[in-house]
Amino acid sequence: MMIDTNTIVSMTEANQNFSLVTRIVDQYGTAVIFKNNKPRYRVVEIEDEDTVETAADEDVLAVSKKLLKRNAAIYEELAK
């Protein structure tokens, strides 16, 4: 991952001055927060985030069925 050095902020600086992080995001489109000298978090504008996805209905139903099956005994006990 290529990181522009202008977008790097330490965790301490981000905690003490979050408005700096938002100004960097406004100017460069992203900010990278380092923790223990390693990139840990990436801050982007919501409008720019292209990885935001919603799950397909089929996927949600499959997970729901799996949870219902796994926890059937608990649900039955709660229904009493």
Side-chain angles (χ1 to χ4, degrees), residues 26-71:
D26 288 341
Q27 184 174 358
Y28 295 100
T30 187
V32 180
I33 299 174
F34 273 51
K35 184 175 184 180
N36 298 325
N37 294 321
K38 296 178 185 175
R40 181 70 184 252
Y41 304 101
R42 183 172 60 108
V43 181
V44 296
E45 287 186 27
I46 290 177
E47 290 83 22
D48 294 342
E49 182 60 39
D50 58 357
T51 60
V52 174
E53 298 178 13
T54 56
D57 289 342
E58 297 82 23
D59 295 337
V60 173
L61 288 173
V63 170
S64 296
K65 287 179 184 178
K66 187 183 224 180
L67 289 172
L68 284 170
K69 185 177 179 180
R70 182 186 306 161
N71 299 309

